[in-house]
PDB file of all heavy atoms in Angstrom:
ATOM      1  N   VAL A   1     113.063 189.518 111.189  1.00 96.00           N
ATOM      2  CA  VAL A   1     112.240 188.401 111.666  1.00 96.00           C
ATOM      3  C   VAL A   1     111.409 187.835 110.518  1.00 96.00           C
ATOM      4  O   VAL A   1     111.230 186.617 110.411  1.00 96.00           O
ATOM      5  CB  VAL A   1     111.347 188.860 112.838  1.00 96.00           C
ATOM      6  CG1 VAL A   1     110.294 187.809 113.170  1.00 96.00           C
ATOM      7  CG2 VAL A   1     112.207 189.147 114.065  1.00 96.00           C
ATOM      8  N   MET A   2     110.919 188.706 109.640  1.00 95.00           N
ATOM      9  CA  MET A   2     110.151 188.210 108.496  1.00 95.00           C
ATOM     10  C   MET A   2     111.011 187.319 107.605  1.00 95.00           C
ATOM     11  O   MET A   2     110.551 186.289 107.100  1.00 95.00           O
ATOM     12  CB  MET A   2     109.593 189.384 107.688  1.00 95.00           C
ATOM     13  CG  MET A   2     108.573 188.964 106.639  1.00 95.00           C
ATOM     14  SD  MET A   2     107.665 190.370 105.958  1.00 95.00           S
ATOM     15  CE  MET A   2     108.968 191.168 105.020  1.00 95.00           C
ATOM     16  N   ALA A   3     112.278 187.700 107.431  1.00 97.00           N
ATOM     17  CA  ALA A   3     113.196 186.883 106.622  1.00 97.00           C
ATOM     18  C   ALA A   3     113.432 185.524 107.276  1.00 97.00           C
ATOM     19  O   ALA A   3     113.476 184.485 106.593  1.00 97.00           O
ATOM     20  CB  ALA A   3     114.515 187.616 106.438  1.00 97.00           C
ATOM     21  N   LYS A   4     113.555 185.509 108.594  1.00 96.00           N
ATOM     22  CA  LYS A   4     113.731 184.235 109.296  1.00 96.00           C
ATOM     23  C   LYS A   4     112.513 183.337 109.102  1.00 96.00           C
ATOM     24  O   LYS A   4     112.641 182.138 108.828  1.00 96.00           O
ATOM     25  CB  LYS A   4     113.954 184.487 110.784  1.00 96.00           C
ATOM     26  CG  LYS A   4     115.298 185.111 111.133  1.00 96.00           C
ATOM     27  CD  LYS A   4     115.406 185.306 112.645  1.00 96.00           C
ATOM     28  CE  LYS A   4     116.725 185.939 113.042  1.00 96.00           C
ATOM     29  NZ  LYS A   4     116.841 186.093 114.517  1.00 96.00           N
ATOM     30  N   LEU A   5     111.328 183.919 109.248  1.00 96.00           N
ATOM     31  CA  LEU A   5     110.114 183.132 109.090  1.00 96.00           C
ATOM     32  C   LEU A   5     109.995 182.564 107.681  1.00 96.00           C
ATOM     33  O   LEU A   5     109.590 181.410 107.490  1.00 96.00           O
ATOM     34  CB  LEU A   5     108.889 183.992 109.410  1.00 96.00           C
ATOM     35  CG  LEU A   5     108.779 184.537 110.840  1.00 96.00           C
ATOM     36  CD1 LEU A   5     107.552 185.435 110.971  1.00 96.00           C
ATOM     37  CD2 LEU A   5     108.727 183.412 111.852  1.00 96.00           C
ATOM     38  N   ALA A   6     110.346 183.368 106.694  1.00 96.00           N
ATOM     39  CA  ALA A   6     110.243 182.921 105.302  1.00 96.00           C
ATOM     40  C   ALA A   6     111.202 181.775 105.002  1.00 96.00           C
ATOM     41  O   ALA A   6     110.918 180.931 104.138  1.00 96.00           O
ATOM     42  CB  ALA A   6     110.517 184.091 104.357  1.00 96.00           C
ATOM     43  N   ASN A   7     112.287 181.744 105.729  1.00 96.00           N
ATOM     44  CA  ASN A   7     113.307 180.722 105.458  1.00 96.00           C
ATOM     45  C   ASN A   7     113.357 179.627 106.520  1.00 96.00           C
ATOM     46  O   ASN A   7     114.304 178.836 106.550  1.00 96.00           O
ATOM     47  CB  ASN A   7     114.673 181.394 105.327  1.00 96.00           C
ATOM     48  CG  ASN A   7     114.789 182.217 104.057  1.00 96.00           C
ATOM     49  OD1 ASN A   7     115.015 181.676 102.975  1.00 96.00           O
ATOM     50  ND2 ASN A   7     114.610 183.527 104.180  1.00 96.00           N
ATOM     51  N   GLY A   8     112.363 179.604 107.386  1.00 95.00           N
ATOM     52  CA  GLY A   8     112.267 178.519 108.358  1.00 95.00           C
ATOM     53  C   GLY A   8     113.308 178.548 109.454  1.00 95.00           C
ATOM     54  O   GLY A   8     113.582 177.516 110.085  1.00 95.00           O
ATOM     55  N   ILE A   9     113.899 179.700 109.693  1.00 96.00           N
ATOM     56  CA  ILE A   9     114.897 179.821 110.755  1.00 96.00           C
ATOM     57  C   ILE A   9     114.182 180.015 112.082  1.00 96.00           C
ATOM     58  O   ILE A   9     113.316 180.868 112.218  1.00 96.00           O
ATOM     59  CB  ILE A   9     115.855 180.997 110.477  1.00 96.00           C
ATOM     60  CG1 ILE A   9     116.649 180.722 109.188  1.00 96.00           C
ATOM     61  CG2 ILE A   9     116.805 181.234 111.653  1.00 96.00           C
ATOM     62  CD1 ILE A   9     117.489 181.885 108.729  1.00 96.00           C
ATOM     63  N   ALA A  10     114.579 179.216 113.064  1.00 94.00           N
ATOM     64  CA  ALA A  10     113.955 179.265 114.386  1.00 94.00           C
ATOM     65  C   ALA A  10     115.057 179.347 115.432  1.00 94.00           C
ATOM     66  O   ALA A  10     115.421 178.346 116.056  1.00 94.00           O
ATOM     67  CB  ALA A  10     113.074 178.047 114.611  1.00 94.00           C
ATOM     68  N   ASP A  11     115.599 180.539 115.636  1.00 94.00           N
ATOM     69  CA  ASP A  11     116.757 180.686 116.521  1.00 94.00           C
ATOM     70  C   ASP A  11     116.445 181.452 117.805  1.00 94.00           C
ATOM     71  O   ASP A  11     117.356 181.862 118.518  1.00 94.00           O
ATOM     72  CB  ASP A  11     117.912 181.355 115.778  1.00 94.00           C
ATOM     73  CG  ASP A  11     117.580 182.750 115.280  1.00 94.00           C
ATOM     74  OD1 ASP A  11     116.410 183.163 115.418  1.00 94.00           O
ATOM     75  OD2 ASP A  11     118.493 183.425 114.757  1.00 94.00           O
ATOM     76  N   ASP A  12     115.151 181.692 118.076  1.00 94.00           N
ATOM     77  CA  ASP A  12     114.748 182.292 119.351  1.00 94.00           C
ATOM     78  C   ASP A  12     113.328 181.831 119.664  1.00 94.00           C
ATOM     79  O   ASP A  12     112.736 181.044 118.907  1.00 94.00           O
ATOM     80  CB  ASP A  12     114.872 183.817 119.316  1.00 94.00           C
ATOM     81  CG  ASP A  12     113.968 184.478 118.270  1.00 94.00           C
ATOM     82  OD1 ASP A  12     113.107 183.777 117.679  1.00 94.00           O
ATOM     83  OD2 ASP A  12     114.107 185.689 118.045  1.00 94.00           O
ATOM     84  N   LEU A  13     112.782 182.308 120.774  1.00 95.00           N
ATOM     85  CA  LEU A  13     111.476 181.821 121.203  1.00 95.00           C
ATOM     86  C   LEU A  13     110.374 182.208 120.220  1.00 95.00           C
ATOM     87  O   LEU A  13     109.498 181.397 119.898  1.00 95.00           O
ATOM     88  CB  LEU A  13     111.154 182.372 122.598  1.00 95.00           C
ATOM     89  CG  LEU A  13     109.818 181.911 123.209  1.00 95.00           C
ATOM     90  CD1 LEU A  13     109.742 180.396 123.296  1.00 95.00           C
ATOM     91  CD2 LEU A  13     109.619 182.531 124.588  1.00 95.00           C
ATOM     92  N   LEU A  14     110.402 183.444 119.698  1.00 96.00           N
ATOM     93  CA  LEU A  14     109.339 183.887 118.803  1.00 96.00           C
ATOM     94  C   LEU A  14     109.347 183.110 117.489  1.00 96.00           C
ATOM     95  O   LEU A  14     108.307 182.601 117.054  1.00 96.00           O
ATOM     96  CB  LEU A  14     109.470 185.391 118.524  1.00 96.00           C
ATOM     97  CG  LEU A  14     108.469 185.972 117.517  1.00 96.00           C
ATOM     98  CD1 LEU A  14     107.029 185.684 117.930  1.00 96.00           C
ATOM     99  CD2 LEU A  14     108.676 187.471 117.354  1.00 96.00           C
ATOM    100  N   THR A  15     110.497 183.005 116.855  1.00 96.00           N
ATOM    101  CA  THR A  15     110.549 182.309 115.562  1.00 96.00           C
ATOM    102  C   THR A  15     110.315 180.808 115.726  1.00 96.00           C
ATOM    103  O   THR A  15     109.721 180.172 114.857  1.00 96.00           O
ATOM    104  CB  THR A  15     111.879 182.570 114.852  1.00 96.00           C
ATOM    105  OG1 THR A  15     112.971 182.251 115.727  1.00 96.00           O
ATOM    106  CG2 THR A  15     112.000 184.029 114.424  1.00 96.00           C
ATOM    107  N   SER A  16     110.755 180.236 116.853  1.00 95.00           N
ATOM    108  CA  SER A  16     110.500 178.813 117.106  1.00 95.00           C
ATOM    109  C   SER A  16     109.009 178.562 117.299  1.00 95.00           C
ATOM    110  O   SER A  16     108.462 177.577 116.798  1.00 95.00           O
ATOM    111  CB  SER A  16     111.273 178.350 118.348  1.00 95.00           C
ATOM    112  OG  SER A  16     112.665 178.434 118.135  1.00 95.00           O
ATOM    113  N   THR A  17     108.357 179.480 118.019  1.00 95.00           N
ATOM    114  CA  THR A  17     106.912 179.359 118.219  1.00 95.00           C
ATOM    115  C   THR A  17     106.174 179.479 116.893  1.00 95.00           C
ATOM    116  O   THR A  17     105.232 178.725 116.613  1.00 95.00           O
ATOM    117  CB  THR A  17     106.415 180.432 119.203  1.00 95.00           C
ATOM    118  OG1 THR A  17     107.118 180.302 120.442  1.00 95.00           O
ATOM    119  CG2 THR A  17     104.925 180.301 119.449  1.00 95.00           C
ATOM    120  N   ALA A  18     106.606 180.438 116.068  1.00 96.00           N
ATOM    121  CA  ALA A  18     105.969 180.628 114.765  1.00 96.00           C
ATOM    122  C   ALA A  18     106.085 179.373 113.909  1.00 96.00           C
ATOM    123  O   ALA A  18     105.137 178.990 113.211  1.00 96.00           O
ATOM    124  CB  ALA A  18     106.595 181.822 114.047  1.00 96.00           C
ATOM    125  N   LEU A  19     107.220 178.721 113.967  1.00 96.00           N
ATOM    126  CA  LEU A  19     107.430 177.516 113.158  1.00 96.00           C
ATOM    127  C   LEU A  19     106.554 176.363 113.649  1.00 96.00           C
ATOM    128  O   LEU A  19     106.203 175.469 112.874  1.00 96.00           O
ATOM    129  CB  LEU A  19     108.910 177.113 113.202  1.00 96.00           C
ATOM    130  CG  LEU A  19     109.417 176.227 112.064  1.00 96.00           C
ATOM    131  CD1 LEU A  19     109.258 176.921 110.719  1.00 96.00           C
ATOM    132  CD2 LEU A  19     110.874 175.848 112.291  1.00 96.00           C
ATOM    133  N   ALA A  20     106.191 176.408 114.922  1.00 95.00           N
ATOM    134  CA  ALA A  20     105.368 175.347 115.495  1.00 95.00           C
ATOM    135  C   ALA A  20     103.875 175.653 115.435  1.00 95.00           C
ATOM    136  O   ALA A  20     103.056 174.829 115.851  1.00 95.00           O
ATOM    137  CB  ALA A  20     105.775 175.110 116.953  1.00 95.00           C
ATOM    138  N   MET A  21     103.502 176.829 114.911  1.00 95.00           N
ATOM    139  CA  MET A  21     102.094 177.244 114.915  1.00 95.00           C
ATOM    140  C   MET A  21     101.245 176.402 113.961  1.00 95.00           C
ATOM    141  O   MET A  21     101.643 176.142 112.826  1.00 95.00           O
ATOM    142  CB  MET A  21     101.964 178.713 114.502  1.00 95.00           C
ATOM    143  CG  MET A  21     102.368 179.710 115.579  1.00 95.00           C
ATOM    144  SD  MET A  21     101.308 179.699 117.036  1.00 95.00           S
ATOM    145  CE  MET A  21      99.735 180.192 116.334  1.00 95.00           C
ATOM    146  N   ILE A  22     100.089 175.998 114.462  1.00 93.00           N
ATOM    147  CA  ILE A  22      99.073 175.368 113.629  1.00 93.00           C
ATOM    148  C   ILE A  22      97.989 176.394 113.308  1.00 93.00           C
ATOM    149  O   ILE A  22      97.427 176.418 112.221  1.00 93.00           O
ATOM    150  CB  ILE A  22      98.457 174.150 114.342  1.00 93.00           C
ATOM    151  CG1 ILE A  22      99.539 173.109 114.634  1.00 93.00           C
ATOM    152  CG2 ILE A  22      97.334 173.541 113.513  1.00 93.00           C
ATOM    153  CD1 ILE A  22      99.068 171.954 115.482  1.00 93.00           C
ATOM    154  N   ALA A  23      97.721 177.272 114.281  1.00 94.00           N
ATOM    155  CA  ALA A  23      96.729 178.338 114.113  1.00 94.00           C
ATOM    156  C   ALA A  23      97.252 179.389 113.135  1.00 94.00           C
ATOM    157  O   ALA A  23      98.441 179.419 112.809  1.00 94.00           O
ATOM    158  CB  ALA A  23      96.414 178.969 115.479  1.00 94.00           C
ATOM    159  N   PRO A  24      96.376 180.273 112.645  1.00 94.00           N
ATOM    160  CA  PRO A  24      96.795 181.292 111.676  1.00 94.00           C
ATOM    161  C   PRO A  24      97.860 182.249 112.218  1.00 94.00           C
ATOM    162  O   PRO A  24      97.967 182.467 113.430  1.00 94.00           O
ATOM    163  CB  PRO A  24      95.488 182.046 111.382  1.00 94.00           C
ATOM    164  CG  PRO A  24      94.401 181.120 111.777  1.00 94.00           C
ATOM    165  CD  PRO A  24      94.931 180.324 112.925  1.00 94.00           C
ATOM    166  N   ILE A  25      98.605 182.818 111.287  1.00 95.00           N
ATOM    167  CA  ILE A  25      99.617 183.823 111.611  1.00 95.00           C
ATOM    168  C   ILE A  25      99.279 185.097 110.849  1.00 95.00           C
ATOM    169  O   ILE A  25      99.030 185.067 109.635  1.00 95.00           O
ATOM    170  CB  ILE A  25     101.035 183.358 111.234  1.00 95.00           C
ATOM    171  CG1 ILE A  25     101.418 182.102 112.024  1.00 95.00           C
ATOM    172  CG2 ILE A  25     102.058 184.474 111.479  1.00 95.00           C
ATOM    173  CD1 ILE A  25     102.774 181.509 111.630  1.00 95.00           C
ATOM    174  N   LEU A  26      99.265 186.208 111.568  1.00 95.00           N
ATOM    175  CA  LEU A  26      98.997 187.524 110.996  1.00 95.00           C
ATOM    176  C   LEU A  26     100.182 188.418 111.325  1.00 95.00           C
ATOM    177  O   LEU A  26     100.600 188.504 112.480  1.00 95.00           O
ATOM    178  CB  LEU A  26      97.710 188.105 111.597  1.00 95.00           C
ATOM    179  CG  LEU A  26      97.251 189.488 111.112  1.00 95.00           C
ATOM    180  CD1 LEU A  26      96.905 189.470 109.629  1.00 95.00           C
ATOM    181  CD2 LEU A  26      96.038 189.947 111.935  1.00 95.00           C
ATOM    182  N   ILE A  27     100.726 189.080 110.303  1.00 94.00           N
ATOM    183  CA  ILE A  27     101.935 189.885 110.483  1.00 94.00           C
ATOM    184  C   ILE A  27     101.657 191.339 110.117  1.00 94.00           C
ATOM    185  O   ILE A  27     101.083 191.631 109.066  1.00 94.00           O
ATOM    186  CB  ILE A  27     103.099 189.345 109.620  1.00 94.00           C
ATOM    187  CG1 ILE A  27     103.555 187.973 110.139  1.00 94.00           C
ATOM    188  CG2 ILE A  27     104.271 190.319 109.595  1.00 94.00           C
ATOM    189  CD1 ILE A  27     104.641 187.330 109.293  1.00 94.00           C
ATOM    190  N   ALA A  28     102.065 192.244 111.005  1.00 94.00           N
ATOM    191  CA  ALA A  28     101.983 193.684 110.739  1.00 94.00           C
ATOM    192  C   ALA A  28     103.413 194.217 110.687  1.00 94.00           C
ATOM    193  O   ALA A  28     104.025 194.475 111.728  1.00 94.00           O
ATOM    194  CB  ALA A  28     101.189 194.392 111.827  1.00 94.00           C
ATOM    195  N   PRO A  29     103.977 194.358 109.493  1.00 94.00           N
ATOM    196  CA  PRO A  29     105.379 194.779 109.376  1.00 94.00           C
ATOM    197  C   PRO A  29     105.558 196.260 109.715  1.00 94.00           C
ATOM    198  O   PRO A  29     104.607 197.056 109.695  1.00 94.00           O
ATOM    199  CB  PRO A  29     105.702 194.534 107.896  1.00 94.00           C
ATOM    200  CG  PRO A  29     104.524 193.829 107.317  1.00 94.00           C
ATOM    201  CD  PRO A  29     103.359 194.133 108.194  1.00 94.00           C
ATOM    202  N   ALA A  30     106.798 196.629 109.984  1.00 92.00           N
ATOM    203  CA  ALA A  30     107.166 198.034 110.166  1.00 92.00           C
ATOM    204  C   ALA A  30     108.650 198.152 109.857  1.00 92.00           C
ATOM    205  O   ALA A  30     109.460 197.376 110.365  1.00 92.00           O
ATOM    206  CB  ALA A  30     106.870 198.512 111.584  1.00 92.00           C
ATOM    207  N   ALA A  31     109.008 199.114 109.008  1.00 90.00           N
ATOM    208  CA  ALA A  31     110.407 199.248 108.603  1.00 90.00           C
ATOM    209  C   ALA A  31     110.629 200.574 107.892  1.00 90.00           C
ATOM    210  O   ALA A  31     109.671 201.263 107.512  1.00 90.00           O
ATOM    211  CB  ALA A  31     110.798 198.097 107.664  1.00 90.00           C
ATOM    212  N   ASN A  32     111.873 200.915 107.708  1.00 85.00           N
ATOM    213  CA  ASN A  32     112.238 202.006 106.812  1.00 85.00           C
ATOM    214  C   ASN A  32     111.728 201.680 105.412  1.00 85.00           C
ATOM    215  O   ASN A  32     111.674 200.512 105.019  1.00 85.00           O
ATOM    216  CB  ASN A  32     113.759 202.167 106.811  1.00 85.00           C
ATOM    217  CG  ASN A  32     114.258 203.038 105.679  1.00 85.00           C
ATOM    218  OD1 ASN A  32     114.530 202.525 104.588  1.00 85.00           O
ATOM    219  ND2 ASN A  32     114.349 204.326 105.914  1.00 85.00           N
ATOM    220  N   GLU A  33     111.356 202.712 104.651  1.00 86.00           N
ATOM    221  CA  GLU A  33     110.731 202.462 103.342  1.00 86.00           C
ATOM    222  C   GLU A  33     111.627 201.664 102.402  1.00 86.00           C
ATOM    223  O   GLU A  33     111.146 200.833 101.628  1.00 86.00           O
ATOM    224  CB  GLU A  33     110.338 203.791 102.679  1.00 86.00           C
ATOM    225  CG  GLU A  33     111.482 204.728 102.400  1.00 86.00           C
ATOM    226  CD  GLU A  33     111.053 205.924 101.565  1.00 86.00           C
ATOM    227  OE1 GLU A  33     110.187 205.755 100.691  1.00 86.00           O
ATOM    228  OE2 GLU A  33     111.598 207.016 101.791  1.00 86.00           O
ATOM    229  N   TYR A  34     112.950 201.880 102.473  1.00 84.00           N
ATOM    230  CA  TYR A  34     113.855 201.159 101.569  1.00 84.00           C
ATOM    231  C   TYR A  34     114.037 199.714 102.003  1.00 84.00           C
ATOM    232  O   TYR A  34     114.148 198.811 101.171  1.00 84.00           O
ATOM    233  CB  TYR A  34     115.192 201.884 101.492  1.00 84.00           C
ATOM    234  CG  TYR A  34     115.047 203.303 100.976  1.00 84.00           C
ATOM    235  CD1 TYR A  34     115.261 204.393 101.812  1.00 84.00           C
ATOM    236  CD2 TYR A  34     114.660 203.547  99.655  1.00 84.00           C
ATOM    237  CE1 TYR A  34     115.096 205.696 101.354  1.00 84.00           C
ATOM    238  CE2 TYR A  34     114.494 204.840  99.189  1.00 84.00           C
ATOM    239  CZ  TYR A  34     114.713 205.907 100.040  1.00 84.00           C
ATOM    240  OH  TYR A  34     114.542 207.195  99.579  1.00 84.00           O
ATOM    241  N   MET A  35     114.052 199.487 103.322  1.00 87.00           N
ATOM    242  CA  MET A  35     114.118 198.112 103.809  1.00 87.00           C
ATOM    243  C   MET A  35     112.837 197.359 103.457  1.00 87.00           C
ATOM    244  O   MET A  35     112.885 196.192 103.059  1.00 87.00           O
ATOM    245  CB  MET A  35     114.336 198.105 105.325  1.00 87.00           C
ATOM    246  CG  MET A  35     115.655 198.683 105.781  1.00 87.00           C
ATOM    247  SD  MET A  35     115.779 198.738 107.581  1.00 87.00           S
ATOM    248  CE  MET A  35     115.893 196.994 107.973  1.00 87.00           C
ATOM    249  N   TYR A  36     111.710 198.048 103.579  1.00 90.00           N
ATOM    250  CA  TYR A  36     110.424 197.396 103.301  1.00 90.00           C
ATOM    251  C   TYR A  36     110.288 197.048 101.821  1.00 90.00           C
ATOM    252  O   TYR A  36     109.814 195.962 101.470  1.00 90.00           O
ATOM    253  CB  TYR A  36     109.278 198.306 103.739  1.00 90.00           C
ATOM    254  CG  TYR A  36     107.905 197.725 103.463  1.00 90.00           C
ATOM    255  CD1 TYR A  36     107.395 196.716 104.262  1.00 90.00           C
ATOM    256  CD2 TYR A  36     107.140 198.178 102.392  1.00 90.00           C
ATOM    257  CE1 TYR A  36     106.141 196.170 104.019  1.00 90.00           C
ATOM    258  CE2 TYR A  36     105.893 197.637 102.136  1.00 90.00           C
ATOM    259  CZ  TYR A  36     105.399 196.642 102.949  1.00 90.00           C
ATOM    260  OH  TYR A  36     104.167 196.103 102.687  1.00 90.00           O
ATOM    261  N   SER A  37     110.698 197.973 100.949  1.00 87.00           N
ATOM    262  CA  SER A  37     110.521 197.766  99.507  1.00 87.00           C
ATOM    263  C   SER A  37     111.672 197.009  98.861  1.00 87.00           C
ATOM    264  O   SER A  37     111.643 196.736  97.656  1.00 87.00           O
ATOM    265  CB  SER A  37     110.350 199.115  98.804  1.00 87.00           C
ATOM    266  OG  SER A  37     111.511 199.915  98.982  1.00 87.00           O
ATOM    267  N   ASN A  38     112.676 196.651  99.657  1.00 92.00           N
ATOM    268  CA  ASN A  38     113.804 195.880  99.107  1.00 92.00           C
ATOM    269  C   ASN A  38     113.294 194.580  98.482  1.00 92.00           C
ATOM    270  O   ASN A  38     112.406 193.932  99.038  1.00 92.00           O
ATOM    271  CB  ASN A  38     114.788 195.572 100.237  1.00 92.00           C
ATOM    272  CG  ASN A  38     116.071 194.913  99.727  1.00 92.00           C
ATOM    273  OD1 ASN A  38     116.066 193.741  99.374  1.00 92.00           O
ATOM    274  ND2 ASN A  38     117.129 195.681  99.703  1.00 92.00           N
ATOM    275  N   PRO A  39     113.815 194.191  97.321  1.00 92.00           N
ATOM    276  CA  PRO A  39     113.340 192.960  96.671  1.00 92.00           C
ATOM    277  C   PRO A  39     113.385 191.734  97.574  1.00 92.00           C
ATOM    278  O   PRO A  39     112.526 190.854  97.467  1.00 92.00           O
ATOM    279  CB  PRO A  39     114.289 192.812  95.480  1.00 92.00           C
ATOM    280  CG  PRO A  39     114.718 194.213  95.161  1.00 92.00           C
ATOM    281  CD  PRO A  39     114.795 194.913  96.483  1.00 92.00           C
ATOM    282  N   ALA A  40     114.364 191.677  98.467  1.00 94.00           N
ATOM    283  CA  ALA A  40     114.447 190.531  99.381  1.00 94.00           C
ATOM    284  C   ALA A  40     113.240 190.512 100.313  1.00 94.00           C
ATOM    285  O   ALA A  40     112.646 189.447 100.565  1.00 94.00           O
ATOM    286  CB  ALA A  40     115.738 190.595 100.197  1.00 94.00           C
ATOM    287  N   SER A  41     112.852 191.681 100.815  1.00 93.00           N
ATOM    288  CA  SER A  41     111.695 191.752 101.699  1.00 93.00           C
ATOM    289  C   SER A  41     110.416 191.396 100.945  1.00 93.00           C
ATOM    290  O   SER A  41     109.538 190.684 101.468  1.00 93.00           O
ATOM    291  CB  SER A  41     111.565 193.156 102.301  1.00 93.00           C
ATOM    292  OG  SER A  41     112.686 193.474 103.095  1.00 93.00           O
ATOM    293  N   MET A  42     110.291 191.916  99.725  1.00 92.00           N
ATOM    294  CA  MET A  42     109.107 191.610  98.923  1.00 92.00           C
ATOM    295  C   MET A  42     109.018 190.112  98.637  1.00 92.00           C
ATOM    296  O   MET A  42     107.930 189.512  98.683  1.00 92.00           O
ATOM    297  CB  MET A  42     109.159 192.382  97.604  1.00 92.00           C
ATOM    298  CG  MET A  42     109.057 193.901  97.749  1.00 92.00           C
ATOM    299  SD  MET A  42     107.415 194.453  98.320  1.00 92.00           S
ATOM    300  CE  MET A  42     107.766 194.789 100.052  1.00 92.00           C
ATOM    301  N   ARG A  43     110.158 189.481  98.364  1.00 93.00           N
ATOM    302  CA  ARG A  43     110.174 188.036  98.100  1.00 93.00           C
ATOM    303  C   ARG A  43     109.789 187.254  99.357  1.00 93.00           C
ATOM    304  O   ARG A  43     109.044 186.264  99.289  1.00 93.00           O
ATOM    305  CB  ARG A  43     111.562 187.617  97.615  1.00 93.00           C
ATOM    306  CG  ARG A  43     111.661 186.136  97.219  1.00 93.00           C
ATOM    307  CD  ARG A  43     112.983 185.804  96.542  1.00 93.00           C
ATOM    308  NE  ARG A  43     114.121 186.113  97.405  1.00 93.00           N
ATOM    309  CZ  ARG A  43     114.987 187.104  97.190  1.00 93.00           C
ATOM    310  NH1 ARG A  43     114.823 187.899  96.134  1.00 93.00           N
ATOM    311  NH2 ARG A  43     116.002 187.314  98.003  1.00 93.00           N
ATOM    312  N   ASN A  44     110.284 187.700 100.513  1.00 94.00           N
ATOM    313  CA  ASN A  44     109.944 187.014 101.764  1.00 94.00           C
ATOM    314  C   ASN A  44     108.457 187.119 102.061  1.00 94.00           C
ATOM    315  O   ASN A  44     107.831 186.160 102.519  1.00 94.00           O
ATOM    316  CB  ASN A  44     110.752 187.600 102.918  1.00 94.00           C
ATOM    317  CG  ASN A  44     112.228 187.265 102.820  1.00 94.00           C
ATOM    318  OD1 ASN A  44     112.607 186.231 102.258  1.00 94.00           O
ATOM    319  ND2 ASN A  44     113.076 188.119 103.364  1.00 94.00           N
ATOM    320  N   MET A  45     107.879 188.289 101.813  1.00 91.00           N
ATOM    321  CA  MET A  45     106.440 188.452 102.025  1.00 91.00           C
ATOM    322  C   MET A  45     105.654 187.543 101.087  1.00 91.00           C
ATOM    323  O   MET A  45     104.656 186.932 101.495  1.00 91.00           O
ATOM    324  CB  MET A  45     106.041 189.910 101.808  1.00 91.00           C
ATOM    325  CG  MET A  45     106.521 190.854 102.890  1.00 91.00           C
ATOM    326  SD  MET A  45     106.052 192.575 102.582  1.00 91.00           S
ATOM    327  CE  MET A  45     104.276 192.477 102.742  1.00 91.00           C
ATOM    328  N   ALA A  46     106.089 187.476  99.842  1.00 92.00           N
ATOM    329  CA  ALA A  46     105.402 186.623  98.876  1.00 92.00           C
ATOM    330  C   ALA A  46     105.481 185.154  99.287  1.00 92.00           C
ATOM    331  O   ALA A  46     104.502 184.402  99.167  1.00 92.00           O
ATOM    332  CB  ALA A  46     106.005 186.816  97.485  1.00 92.00           C
ATOM    333  N   THR A  47     106.634 184.760  99.795  1.00 93.00           N
ATOM    334  CA  THR A  47     106.815 183.375 100.243  1.00 93.00           C
ATOM    335  C   THR A  47     105.875 183.054 101.391  1.00 93.00           C
ATOM    336  O   THR A  47     105.185 182.021 101.394  1.00 93.00           O
ATOM    337  CB  THR A  47     108.268 183.140 100.689  1.00 93.00           C
ATOM    338  OG1 THR A  47     109.145 183.326  99.577  1.00 93.00           O
ATOM    339  CG2 THR A  47     108.460 181.732 101.240  1.00 93.00           C
ATOM    340  N   LEU A  48     105.823 183.939 102.372  1.00 93.00           N
ATOM    341  CA  LEU A  48     104.953 183.716 103.521  1.00 93.00           C
ATOM    342  C   LEU A  48     103.478 183.733 103.123  1.00 93.00           C
ATOM    343  O   LEU A  48     102.675 182.940 103.612  1.00 93.00           O
ATOM    344  CB  LEU A  48     105.237 184.770 104.599  1.00 93.00           C
ATOM    345  CG  LEU A  48     106.582 184.615 105.315  1.00 93.00           C
ATOM    346  CD1 LEU A  48     106.900 185.857 106.143  1.00 93.00           C
ATOM    347  CD2 LEU A  48     106.584 183.372 106.196  1.00 93.00           C
TER     348      LEU A  48
END
């Protein structure tokens, strides 16, 4: 979901709502350590 948000993908209710948000967005991630530290994930977090 974080990757979708970083790339503007809105293919369900949650991501579509996020794309339409004017108010602040706060994200609490959770993942396997390798998925979390993957360069793609780090880049997506930096983008957001």
